[in-house]
Amino acid sequence: MRIGNLVLIASICSGYGIAAQATSTTTFGTPGLIDMPSAESAPDAELTSSISYFNNNNRNTLSFQITPRLSGSFRYSSIANWRGSETLFDRSFDLRYRLVDEGKYRPAIAIGLQDFIGTGAYSGEYIVASKRIIPTVTLTGGIGWGRFGTTNGFANPLGGLDARFNTRPTGFTGTGGIVESAKWFRGDAAFFGGIAWQATPKLTLKAEYSSDAYVEERARGNFTPKSPYNYGLDYKVSKGISLQASYLYGAEFGLGVTIKLNPKEPAIIGGREKAPQPVRVRVLTNVVDLGWTTVPNAQKNLRKATQDLLAKEGLTLEAMSVSSSKVTLRLRNERYLASAEAIGRTARILTRVMPDSVETFNIIPIARGIPLSQITLKRSDLETLEHESNGSALSYAAAKITDAVNTSDALIFRDGLYPKFTWGIGPYIRTSYFDPDSPIRLEVGLKANASYTFAPGLVLSGQISKRAVGNIHTATRRSDSKIRRVRSDGALYNQAGDPAINDLTLAYHFRPGKNLYGRVTVGYLEAMYGGVSTELLWKPVDSRLAIGLEANLLRQRDFNQLFGFQDYQVATGHLTAYWDMGKGFHSQLSVGRYLGGDYGGTLKVERTFKNGWRVGAYATITDIPFSDFGEGSFDKGLLFTVPLDHFVGSPTGRTFDSVIQPLTRDGGARVNVDGRLYGTVNNHHNKALKDSWGRFWR
Amino acid sequence: MMRFPVIAALACTLALGACGTASDNPLRATVFANLKQLVSKKGDQQVLTTAILRARLTSEVRASLGASVLIAELPNQKVAAVVLAVAQNGGVTTWQAGDGVAVNTKAGLLLSTRGVGFDLMSSSVDGPLAMIKGRGTGTAVREHRGLDGEDQLVLTRFECTYLHSKDTVLESCANKNLTIENQYWLDRSGDIWRSKQWSGARNGYMLLENPPE
């Protein structure tokens, strides 16, 4: 995915939690006037998806306010009548930075690079200033280069610094997709400007003088401007949706829709889940009463009572042991993304169930059968801090979070928990984007999955799917890759794989030692590859740094996605450093060997939100020459992790993970395996617990 | 042409329905059936209020509930519920409704809410409590904590003054951004039996009433 899903989610749930603000969107999907940018920024963290259309030109843009000052956009455009009747499908990336904040007299000033990577059809740079002169009127003026310097252009003022600024190179480098810094701020410059008047809280009227002459579009017969003046309006339908209409260049009417979503503004802050069990306060004299230890079946009865109460909160008790003063339990949390909330609810249930002499609670969250951490709480702290004003911070300070290796030896597992068989059948929707023949393709079908857990950590699982309707498999465009087609034969897989075995694996997750996590997965790992995948992760429970080592021996599967293989075999592997940089940013650097046998590295940077959202980007560069890689030169993409809780307002434990990969080619490709360790482990380690501890008492 | 993995199905699985053992949907069977009955909307009634619930709380109904009750209403949100005392911890009573809403009070002062959404997470009211009980006329500090959109606690601090009449106390609290006004009605023994208390920007004031026997 999947811009589509974000748009879908946003439109279903629109009206929730988007701050009122007056920036409106240009035809390029960036904050600004009509076709021209302004110096305004969207609110921090806002995700904007917009669609605009005017004669022959359609632009779909996804923008993200990366920091309060920095924003980035990805755009997929179709420009009709580009070569004769042929349509150009173009991908472009922008970056803009607000240099100066608006003051009492000083305007806000921003600098922007539009379409700074790639073929450069939209490439242009600008420096722009905006000032709110009265609360409802904003004036904007700027100077533009590239396509923003084509109406009444003048010699580049930067030419005085260096004569190279006077001419702008044309065309693009190699196969496109790389940073074209040699063009930036080169060639003629021109002034642009405009005015925005917020006539009513919902309606903003705009007029601008554009410095974009649509030179290429005019020459190719796509669009011919008749005047540099544009007029437009922006109407806010609801908090998250606005519509734009404009009269462009004295020639055409344009329409647009913008959907806004902010990860920091969930539908219901804190969620609407049911109140937790209240703490049961002990009677002081009972604390030394150990009579219960002689009751027959005491362990079993306590386990049953705990398990029943946990089940009501959507939590699963796996194993437990109770001594006179201490209880230790393994907890499976598949409902609360805020891991501290699961711990807090469990702790309160223990106060209700455990005999009064039990003072220490050891809670061990597990995932995929392996213990992730041990959270040790004192029952007396729970009793005193439950209604304390600063109870959250105090209870975090009093909690001990430690490694959980070897903690489970003495635990008694629930009867009948293993082996465990689960299955499910349900519908699926798949989408496919960016095929020039049909930029959006869709498929609906039925999938069935089943899993058999032999023992904690050892799972046999598989999924098959059968399409019902759709046009993904009818794509006729075939890979033109010059190198081994390790990823670009998707169309052939889609066509032949019906029904398909999506995956069928035996996976083992285990703890080889303190701070260490291990995984071995064997079988049909994903649609295109089968084989053996192994992984070892070093991640101390309170560390912001983790190191992972992955080694895989893979064979490419037959296009029909049944049991057969093609005769391509490859060993891949990566050494990865994961680093939680703090301040809401996370980075990940991998070096190693990719599916095509190519060697290289992947850098991934994400903005992370404490409520589970993640928005990021990655790039992979390997030793495959850009010319062999083909269009785009190297692999890159955008990453989104969206918690469903954001929209439904109660804990579901579900997130959508999506990658927008503008081009899927064969260089720098990696195998997809379910259950990679870092994602499995990280959410119940110290940093994630601390980030979610505000919900401990929910 | 490219292909994307099959994750998008999640939303639709939820929307269109799916079956299998993997879906774990616990039902909360509680002793709160009576309470639920009590707050069910009857006929063409649109909004429950304290007055409606007070009328429904006949002595038979109260006897059937078997614990003390409060009527809680959020006029802003147009919701009201009867909540039942379910736990005590150091002078704090936890009151719970049939639908998972809970309110915590200390000697009648609202400390926190749960299960409402945009909940008041915790409060410090010891200063105000002393003022109300002791008919004090100075200022006291009140602290409220709520979550932000990233689940981080945000502290709001108020400075409050008190105006006492025969059987009511008016508590006026302010900080740089906000002024709120809580009101308490006291019975003959000086206990709060009815109040209007701020519970946060989104939910507004909460009305609490210990209905007369």
Side-chain angles (χ1 to χ4, degrees):
Chain A
M1 134 119 168
R2 251 89 89 138
I3 299 177
N5 287 351
L6 288 180
V7 173
L8 181 75
I9 292 164
S11 53
I12 291 169
C13 308
S14 63
Y16 286 129
I18 282 88
Q21 49 89 41
T23 56
S24 76
T25 317
T26 64
T27 60
F28 290 101
T30 53
L33 293 160
I34 302 157
D35 221 19
M36 294 288 117
S38 71
E40 294 155 304
S41 301
D44 182 37
E46 186 169 275
L47 271 166
T48 309
S49 58
S50 73
I51 300 170
S52 79
Y53 181 80
F54 65 94
N55 184 44
N56 289 333
N57 289 276
N58 163 236
R59 299 165 187 163
N60 307 287
T61 313
L62 188 64
S63 294
F64 180 53
Q65 192 69 37
I66 304 166
T67 72
R69 293 178 182 276
L70 180 69
S71 65
S73 302
F74 166 66
R75 188 176 303 105
Y76 185 70
S77 320
S78 65
I79 310 169
N81 298 337
W82 189 254
R83 288 178 210 98
S85 64
E86 218 179 286
T87 299
L88 172 71
F89 290 93
D90 187 66
R91 300 156 183 87
S92 52
F93 291 91
D94 305 351
L95 275 178
R96 37 188 282 135
Y97 188 79
R98 197 178 72 249
L99 296 163
V100 176
D101 291 338
E102 185 172 340
K104 197 174 176 196
Y105 301 107
R106 182 182 63 205
I109 300 174
I111 185 168
L113 301 172
Q114 181 167 291
D115 195 2
F116 73 106
I117 294 178
T119 52
Y122 283 147
S123 86
E125 301 80 42
Y126 53 85
I127 296 173
V128 59
S130 293
K131 177 81 189 91
R132 193 157 295 209
I133 47 167
I134 58 169
T136 53
V137 175
T138 305
L139 287 183
T140 292
I143 176 169
W145 290 263
R147 72 178 289 141
F148 295 128
T150 48
T151 297
N152 286 328
F154 45 83
N156 194 338
L158 297 172
L161 297 174
D162 189 322
R164 279 180 299 176
F165 279 109
N166 289 328
T167 42
R168 190 178 181 90
T170 53
F172 56 88
T173 315
T175 45
I178 61 175
V179 175
E180 300 281 354
S181 57
K183 283 192 198 172
W184 297 349
F185 302 100
R186 302 282 179 94
D188 280 1
F191 290 119
F192 61 88
I195 182 168
W197 172 44
Q198 188 165 2
T200 76
K202 282 177 176 288
L203 180 68
T204 303
L205 301 175
K206 298 177 287 187
E208 72 177 14
Y209 170 83
S210 167
S211 59
D212 185 346
Y214 282 75
V215 176
E216 279 287 301
E217 286 84 350
R218 187 198 299 259
R220 292 170 182 273
N222 160 280
F223 175 63
T224 306
K226 298 196 172 90
S227 136
Y229 296 99
N230 296 326
Y231 307 92
L233 65 84
D234 182 287
Y235 182 75
K236 196 161 102 183
V237 180
S238 69
K239 262 182 171 176
I241 300 182
S242 49
L243 300 175
Q244 291 86 36
S246 52
Y247 182 60
L248 295 164
Y249 299 96
E252 292 293 341
F253 287 98
L255 279 175
V257 57
T258 304
I259 295 165
K260 296 172 179 176
L261 192 61
N262 196 319
K264 296 208 285 193
E265 293 170 5
I268 298 174
I269 287 182
R272 196 182 271 152
E273 59 264 36
K274 288 177 175 172
Q277 293 278 348
V279 168
R280 179 178 67 85
V281 181
R282 291 168 292 175
V283 181
L284 208 58
T285 50
N286 289 353
V287 169
V288 290
D289 182 1
L290 295 177
W292 66 271
T293 51
T294 58
V295 175
N297 289 331
Q299 289 264 357
K300 198 173 173 187
N301 294 339
L302 291 172
R303 201 163 73 226
K304 176 81 173 73
T306 310
Q307 160 191 332
D308 290 349
L309 285 175
L310 283 172
K312 286 183 185 167
E313 315 264 356
L315 296 165
T316 311
L317 176 76
E318 287 248 331
M320 188 175 202
S321 83
V322 192
S323 71
S324 57
S325 66
K326 187 173 81 178
V327 56
T328 304
L329 67 91
R330 280 165 65 113
L331 176 74
R332 198 161 79 222
N333 165 28
E334 282 156 8
R335 178 175 292 182
Y336 303 94
L337 291 176
S339 40
E341 184 171 352
I343 306 301
R345 284 180 178 252
T346 305
R348 275 167 288 191
I349 285 170
L350 291 175
T351 68
R352 300 202 76 77
V353 174
M354 287 297 132
D356 289 4
S357 69
V358 178
E359 164 67 10
T360 304
F361 297 166
N362 289 323
I363 300 170
I364 302 170
I366 61 163
R368 297 186 187 268
I370 48 173
L372 307 174
S373 61
Q374 171 168 288
I375 295 104
T376 303
L377 303 164
K378 290 266 170 264
R379 187 173 185 170
S380 38
D381 289 337
L382 295 166
E383 289 169 348
T384 42
L385 298 177
E386 184 186 22
H387 299 296
E388 176 65 38
S389 178
N390 195 22
S392 171
L394 293 173
S395 60
Y396 175 74
K400 254 180 33 206
I401 300 165
T402 50
D403 195 284
V405 73
N406 300 332
T407 47
S408 307
D409 298 348
L411 300 187
I412 300 154
F413 277 80
R414 258 172 70 181
D415 302 331
L417 202 58
Y418 296 105
K420 183 177 68 179
F421 179 68
T422 62
W423 61 274
I425 295 177
Y428 72 85
I429 285 189
R430 268 177 48 197
T431 45
S432 157
Y433 294 97
F434 311 131
D435 177 357
D437 301 329
S438 173
I440 299 177
R441 289 175 182 269
L442 207 67
E443 179 175 301
V444 177
L446 206 63
K447 67 175 169 51
N449 55 60
S451 82
Y452 187 83
T453 308
F454 297 93
L458 185 62
V459 185
L460 178 68
S461 66
Q463 185 185 76
I464 53 171
S465 65
K466 172 94 183 84
R467 73 170 160 257
V469 287
N471 60 356
I472 290 183
H473 66 286
T474 60
T476 52
R477 201 164 281 253
R478 295 292 176 257
S479 172
D480 60 356
S481 192
K482 291 183 199 164
I483 53 177
R484 172 72 203 184
R485 290 173 189 174
V486 294
R487 207 39 112 183
S488 62
D489 272 338
L492 294 172
Y493 281 92
N494 289 328
Q495 191 179 44
D498 184 49
I501 299 171
N502 304 93
D503 58 74
L504 178 59
T505 58
L506 180 66
Y508 182 51
H509 283 76
F510 59 102
R511 295 288 314 260
K514 192 172 182 221
N515 301 332
L516 293 176
Y517 300 83
R519 172 182 64 81
V520 177
T521 313
V522 184
Y524 299 89
L525 305 171
E526 53 140 305
M528 299 187 197
Y529 289 89
V532 187
S533 170
T534 62
E535 198 185 351
L536 184 68
L537 178 76
W538 173 83
K539 169 82 178 74
V541 84
D542 54 357
S543 169
R544 286 170 172 252
L545 181 73
I547 308 284
L549 186 64
E550 183 174 303
N552 312 307
L553 191 58
L554 306 167
R555 202 157 176 167
Q556 196 166 6
R557 292 177 65 185
D558 275 343
F559 295 135
N560 64 16
Q561 293 169 68
L562 296 175
F563 294 100
F565 286 99
Q566 305 181 31
D567 59 6
Y568 179 71
Q569 189 170 309
V570 63
T572 69
H574 284 90
L575 182 67
T576 302
Y578 308 83
W579 180 30
D580 188 322
M581 303 190 287
K583 302 212 186 293
F585 284 89
H586 187 279
S587 64
Q588 184 176 327
L589 178 68
S590 304
V591 291
R593 190 166 191 240
Y594 293 81
L595 283 174
D598 43 338
Y599 290 90
T602 301
L603 179 66
K604 185 162 134 182
V605 179
E606 287 173 291
R607 169 123 188 229
T608 59
F609 297 87
K610 289 166 179 167
N611 55 20
W613 275 81
R614 301 166 81 91
V615 179
Y618 77 92
T620 299
I621 294 186
T622 70
D623 58 359
I624 288 183
F626 289 172
S627 54
D628 286 349
F629 180 93
E631 193 182 350
S633 300
F634 62 92
D635 188 38
K636 51 188 157 309
L638 305 174
L639 305 154
F640 298 88
T641 299
V642 183
L644 185 61
D645 299 8
H646 180 99
F647 306 99
V648 301
S650 59
T652 61
R654 297 186 184 209
T655 53
F656 302 93
D657 288 313
S658 335
V659 181
I660 296 179
Q661 210 178 355
L663 290 156
T664 301
R665 301 194 66 92
D666 300 313
R670 293 182 69 173
V671 66
N672 299 319
V673 196
D674 188 39
R676 280 200 166 111
L677 291 169
Y678 187 75
T680 304
V681 165
N682 194 36
N683 196 35
H684 287 84
H685 274 198
N686 193 4
K687 173 70 167 45
L689 285 161
K690 186 181 183 185
D691 285 349
S692 61
W693 209 269
R695 295 181 74 122
F696 181 84
W697 289 112
R698 278 197 73 72
Chain B
M1 155 79 215
M2 59 192 42
R3 165 180 178 147
F4 296 91
V6 191
I7 314 164
L10 280 178
C12 299
T13 309
L14 288 178
L16 305 174
C19 58
T21 54
S23 63
D24 177 28
N25 191 11
L27 278 172
R28 194 161 168 130
T30 60
V31 294
F32 291 99
N34 285 339
L35 285 183
K36 282 189 180 166
Q37 187 71 32
L38 204 60
V39 294
S40 63
K41 288 178 184 162
K42 290 171 186 165
D44 52 359
Q45 214 164 34
Q46 293 301 308
V47 178
L48 281 175
T49 62
T50 303
I52 294 168
L53 293 177
R54 194 190 296 132
R56 287 191 197 167
L57 271 174
T58 59
S59 49
E60 293 93 24
V61 172
R62 291 191 68 156
S64 78
L65 294 172
S68 12
V69 294
L70 275 184
I71 300 171
E73 182 183 348
L74 287 170
N76 263 7
Q77 307 295 314
K78 296 190 166 50
V79 290
V82 175
V83 292
L84 193 70
V86 293
Q88 280 288 338
N89 182 358
V92 179
T93 309
T94 298
W95 308 84
Q96 219 158 343
D99 59 357
V101 167
V103 173
N104 296 299
T105 62
K106 186 174 195 175
L109 266 67
L110 179 67
L111 282 187
S112 54
T113 65
R114 291 292 184 273
V116 182
F118 302 89
D119 285 308
L120 177 61
M121 287 301 294
S122 64
S123 309
S124 148
V125 297
D126 289 344
L129 189 59
M131 286 291 177
I132 293 161
K133 290 289 196 176
R135 305 188 73 82
T137 51
T139 62
V141 171
R142 170 182 269 285
E143 287 182 356
H144 291 181
R145 279 182 172 82
L147 292 170
D148 68 9
E150 274 195 273
D151 291 338
Q152 304 304 296
L153 286 166
V154 179
L155 171 66
T156 313
R157 192 179 263 120
F158 295 97
E159 205 153 277
C160 308
T161 57
Y162 298 85
L163 200 64
H164 300 268
S165 72
K166 186 168 160 283
D167 48 8
T168 66
V169 183
L170 195 65
E171 180 188 39
S172 305
C173 305
N175 61 26
K176 242 176 18 195
N177 310 312
L178 190 65
T179 301
I180 58 172
E181 212 163 69
N182 293 337
Q183 200 169 0
Y184 309 89
W185 285 262
L186 310 181
D187 64 15
R188 248 171 292 164
S189 49
D191 293 330
I192 296 165
W193 71 276
R194 192 179 146 203
S195 59
K196 183 192 96 178
Q197 304 184 54
W198 183 247
S199 75
R202 175 71 168 236
N203 293 331
Y205 288 96
M206 177 174 270
L207 308 182
L208 290 173
E209 179 177 316
N210 184 1
E213 297 276 342

Short mmCIF file of all heavy atoms in Angstrom, two decimals, chain A residues 387, chain B residues 70 72 83 85 87-95 102-113 125 129 192 195 197 206 208-209:
data_model
loop_
_atom_site.label_atom_id
_atom_site.label_comp_id
_atom_site.label_asym_id
_atom_site.label_seq_id
_atom_site.Cartn_x
_atom_site.Cartn_y
_atom_site.Cartn_z
N HIS A 387 -4.81 6.13 43.50
CA HIS A 387 -5.52 7.40 43.32
C HIS A 387 -4.63 8.59 43.57
O HIS A 387 -5.10 9.71 43.74
CB HIS A 387 -6.74 7.43 44.24
CG HIS A 387 -7.72 6.35 43.94
ND1 HIS A 387 -8.38 6.27 42.74
CD2 HIS A 387 -8.13 5.28 44.66
CE1 HIS A 387 -9.16 5.19 42.74
NE2 HIS A 387 -9.02 4.59 43.90
N LEU B 70 -24.51 6.51 43.19
CA LEU B 70 -24.46 7.92 42.82
C LEU B 70 -25.08 8.04 41.44
O LEU B 70 -25.04 7.10 40.66
CB LEU B 70 -23.01 8.39 42.68
CG LEU B 70 -22.18 8.85 43.87
CD1 LEU B 70 -20.83 9.32 43.34
CD2 LEU B 70 -22.88 9.97 44.62
N ALA B 72 -24.46 10.06 38.10
CA ALA B 72 -23.44 10.89 37.46
C ALA B 72 -23.96 11.33 36.10
O ALA B 72 -24.51 10.52 35.35
CB ALA B 72 -22.15 10.10 37.30
N VAL B 83 -24.10 4.93 39.16
CA VAL B 83 -22.87 4.19 39.45
C VAL B 83 -22.92 3.64 40.86
O VAL B 83 -23.49 4.24 41.76
CB VAL B 83 -21.62 5.07 39.22
CG1 VAL B 83 -21.43 5.39 37.75
CG2 VAL B 83 -21.69 6.36 40.04
N ALA B 85 -21.02 1.83 44.22
CA ALA B 85 -19.75 1.78 44.94
C ALA B 85 -19.20 0.36 44.85
O ALA B 85 -19.85 -0.59 45.29
CB ALA B 85 -19.95 2.18 46.39
N ALA B 87 -15.49 -0.24 45.27
CA ALA B 87 -14.23 -0.41 46.00
C ALA B 87 -13.91 0.83 46.80
O ALA B 87 -14.39 1.93 46.49
CB ALA B 87 -13.10 -0.71 45.02
N GLN B 88 -13.09 0.61 47.83
CA GLN B 88 -12.62 1.68 48.70
C GLN B 88 -11.11 1.58 48.78
O GLN B 88 -10.58 0.49 48.91
CB GLN B 88 -13.17 1.47 50.13
CG GLN B 88 -14.60 1.92 50.36
CD GLN B 88 -14.74 3.42 50.38
OE1 GLN B 88 -13.76 4.13 50.62
NE2 GLN B 88 -15.94 3.92 50.12
N ASN B 89 -10.43 2.70 48.67
CA ASN B 89 -8.98 2.68 48.88
C ASN B 89 -8.57 3.99 49.53
O ASN B 89 -8.56 5.03 48.88
CB ASN B 89 -8.26 2.48 47.53
CG ASN B 89 -6.75 2.41 47.70
OD1 ASN B 89 -6.23 2.55 48.81
ND2 ASN B 89 -6.05 2.20 46.60
N GLY B 90 -8.25 3.94 50.79
CA GLY B 90 -7.75 5.11 51.50
C GLY B 90 -8.65 6.32 51.36
O GLY B 90 -8.18 7.39 51.01
N GLY B 91 -9.93 6.16 51.62
CA GLY B 91 -10.84 7.30 51.57
C GLY B 91 -11.36 7.59 50.17
O GLY B 91 -12.18 8.49 49.98
N VAL B 92 -10.88 6.86 49.17
CA VAL B 92 -11.36 7.06 47.81
C VAL B 92 -12.35 5.95 47.47
O VAL B 92 -12.08 4.77 47.70
CB VAL B 92 -10.20 7.05 46.80
CG1 VAL B 92 -10.74 7.24 45.38
CG2 VAL B 92 -9.19 8.13 47.14
N THR B 93 -13.50 6.37 46.94
CA THR B 93 -14.50 5.38 46.52
C THR B 93 -14.48 5.25 45.01
O THR B 93 -14.44 6.26 44.30
CB THR B 93 -15.91 5.82 46.96
OG1 THR B 93 -15.86 6.14 48.36
CG2 THR B 93 -16.92 4.71 46.73
N THR B 94 -14.48 4.02 44.53
CA THR B 94 -14.62 3.77 43.10
C THR B 94 -16.06 3.40 42.83
O THR B 94 -16.61 2.49 43.45
CB THR B 94 -13.69 2.63 42.65
OG1 THR B 94 -12.35 3.03 42.88
CG2 THR B 94 -13.87 2.32 41.17
N TRP B 95 -16.66 4.14 41.92
CA TRP B 95 -18.07 3.92 41.54
C TRP B 95 -18.07 3.45 40.11
O TRP B 95 -17.40 4.01 39.26
CB TRP B 95 -18.85 5.23 41.63
CG TRP B 95 -18.74 5.96 42.92
CD1 TRP B 95 -17.75 6.82 43.30
CD2 TRP B 95 -19.67 5.93 44.02
NE1 TRP B 95 -17.99 7.32 44.55
CE2 TRP B 95 -19.17 6.80 45.02
CE3 TRP B 95 -20.88 5.25 44.23
CZ2 TRP B 95 -19.83 7.00 46.22
CZ3 TRP B 95 -21.54 5.45 45.42
CH2 TRP B 95 -21.02 6.32 46.42
N ALA B 102 -16.47 4.47 35.03
CA ALA B 102 -16.20 4.52 36.46
C ALA B 102 -15.82 5.94 36.86
O ALA B 102 -15.31 6.72 36.06
CB ALA B 102 -15.09 3.56 36.85
N VAL B 103 -16.11 6.25 38.11
CA VAL B 103 -15.82 7.56 38.68
C VAL B 103 -15.18 7.32 40.04
O VAL B 103 -15.62 6.45 40.78
CB VAL B 103 -17.15 8.35 38.86
CG1 VAL B 103 -16.90 9.66 39.59
CG2 VAL B 103 -17.81 8.61 37.53
N ASN B 104 -14.12 8.05 40.35
CA ASN B 104 -13.49 7.94 41.67
C ASN B 104 -13.67 9.24 42.42
O ASN B 104 -13.40 10.31 41.88
CB ASN B 104 -12.01 7.61 41.52
CG ASN B 104 -11.79 6.25 40.87
OD1 ASN B 104 -12.21 5.23 41.41
ND2 ASN B 104 -11.19 6.24 39.70
N THR B 105 -14.13 9.15 43.66
CA THR B 105 -14.34 10.35 44.45
C THR B 105 -13.69 10.20 45.82
O THR B 105 -13.54 9.10 46.33
CB THR B 105 -15.85 10.62 44.68
OG1 THR B 105 -16.40 9.52 45.42
CG2 THR B 105 -16.60 10.78 43.38
N LYS B 106 -13.33 11.36 46.38
CA LYS B 106 -12.78 11.38 47.73
C LYS B 106 -13.65 12.34 48.54
O LYS B 106 -13.67 13.54 48.25
CB LYS B 106 -11.34 11.88 47.68
CG LYS B 106 -10.61 11.81 49.01
CD LYS B 106 -9.14 12.20 48.78
CE LYS B 106 -8.31 11.80 49.98
NZ LYS B 106 -6.88 12.05 49.74
N ALA B 107 -14.40 11.82 49.48
CA ALA B 107 -15.34 12.60 50.28
C ALA B 107 -16.22 13.47 49.39
O ALA B 107 -16.50 14.63 49.71
CB ALA B 107 -14.57 13.47 51.28
N GLY B 108 -16.62 12.94 48.26
CA GLY B 108 -17.52 13.66 47.37
C GLY B 108 -16.83 14.45 46.28
O GLY B 108 -17.46 14.91 45.33
N LEU B 109 -15.50 14.64 46.39
CA LEU B 109 -14.79 15.39 45.36
C LEU B 109 -14.33 14.44 44.25
O LEU B 109 -13.77 13.38 44.52
CB LEU B 109 -13.58 16.13 45.95
CG LEU B 109 -13.87 17.58 46.36
CD1 LEU B 109 -14.83 17.60 47.53
CD2 LEU B 109 -12.60 18.32 46.67
N LEU B 110 -14.56 14.86 43.02
CA LEU B 110 -14.20 14.04 41.87
C LEU B 110 -12.69 13.97 41.74
O LEU B 110 -12.01 15.00 41.69
CB LEU B 110 -14.81 14.65 40.61
CG LEU B 110 -14.52 13.94 39.29
CD1 LEU B 110 -15.19 12.57 39.27
CD2 LEU B 110 -15.00 14.78 38.12
N LEU B 111 -12.15 12.74 41.67
CA LEU B 111 -10.71 12.57 41.47
C LEU B 111 -10.41 12.20 40.03
O LEU B 111 -9.46 12.70 39.43
CB LEU B 111 -10.19 11.43 42.36
CG LEU B 111 -9.96 11.70 43.83
CD1 LEU B 111 -9.28 10.49 44.44
CD2 LEU B 111 -9.10 12.93 44.03
N SER B 112 -11.17 11.28 39.47
CA SER B 112 -10.85 10.79 38.13
C SER B 112 -12.06 10.08 37.53
O SER B 112 -12.99 9.71 38.24
CB SER B 112 -9.66 9.83 38.18
OG SER B 112 -9.89 8.80 39.11
N THR B 113 -12.01 9.92 36.20
CA THR B 113 -13.05 9.17 35.50
C THR B 113 -12.37 8.09 34.66
O THR B 113 -11.20 8.21 34.32
CB THR B 113 -13.88 10.07 34.56
OG1 THR B 113 -13.02 10.56 33.52
CG2 THR B 113 -14.48 11.24 35.31
N VAL B 125 -6.76 16.89 45.37
CA VAL B 125 -7.83 17.76 45.87
C VAL B 125 -7.77 17.93 47.38
O VAL B 125 -8.75 18.38 47.98
CB VAL B 125 -9.23 17.21 45.48
CG1 VAL B 125 -9.39 17.17 43.98
CG2 VAL B 125 -9.45 15.82 46.07
N LEU B 129 -10.39 20.10 49.51
CA LEU B 129 -11.24 19.35 50.43
C LEU B 129 -11.23 19.98 51.83
O LEU B 129 -12.28 20.14 52.47
CB LEU B 129 -10.76 17.89 50.50
CG LEU B 129 -11.65 16.91 51.26
CD1 LEU B 129 -13.05 16.87 50.65
CD2 LEU B 129 -11.03 15.51 51.22
N ILE B 192 -20.87 16.30 51.34
CA ILE B 192 -21.34 16.69 50.01
C ILE B 192 -22.33 15.64 49.52
O ILE B 192 -22.03 14.45 49.48
CB ILE B 192 -20.15 16.75 49.02
CG1 ILE B 192 -19.17 17.86 49.46
CG2 ILE B 192 -20.62 16.98 47.61
CD1 ILE B 192 -17.81 17.76 48.80
N SER B 195 -23.10 17.75 43.59
CA SER B 195 -22.03 18.65 43.16
C SER B 195 -22.02 18.80 41.65
O SER B 195 -22.61 17.99 40.91
CB SER B 195 -20.67 18.10 43.62
OG SER B 195 -20.47 16.82 43.07
N GLN B 197 -18.85 19.42 39.10
CA GLN B 197 -17.39 19.51 39.14
C GLN B 197 -16.79 19.34 37.75
O GLN B 197 -17.21 18.51 36.96
CB GLN B 197 -16.83 18.40 40.06
CG GLN B 197 -17.40 18.45 41.47
CD GLN B 197 -16.74 17.41 42.37
OE1 GLN B 197 -15.53 17.34 42.49
NE2 GLN B 197 -17.57 16.58 43.00
N MET B 206 -19.16 17.61 35.41
CA MET B 206 -19.88 16.39 35.79
C MET B 206 -20.78 16.71 36.96
O MET B 206 -20.36 17.36 37.92
CB MET B 206 -18.89 15.29 36.17
CG MET B 206 -19.58 14.01 36.63
SD MET B 206 -18.41 12.66 36.92
CE MET B 206 -18.37 11.91 35.30
N LEU B 208 -22.77 15.21 40.03
CA LEU B 208 -22.82 14.01 40.87
C LEU B 208 -23.89 14.22 41.92
O LEU B 208 -24.00 15.31 42.48
CB LEU B 208 -21.47 13.78 41.55
CG LEU B 208 -20.31 13.34 40.66
CD1 LEU B 208 -19.00 13.34 41.45
CD2 LEU B 208 -20.58 11.96 40.08
N GLU B 209 -24.67 13.19 42.15
CA GLU B 209 -25.72 13.33 43.16
C GLU B 209 -25.89 12.01 43.92
O GLU B 209 -25.99 10.94 43.32
CB GLU B 209 -27.05 13.72 42.50
CG GLU B 209 -28.16 13.86 43.50
CD GLU B 209 -29.46 14.34 42.85
OE1 GLU B 209 -29.41 15.27 42.02
OE2 GLU B 209 -30.52 13.77 43.16
#
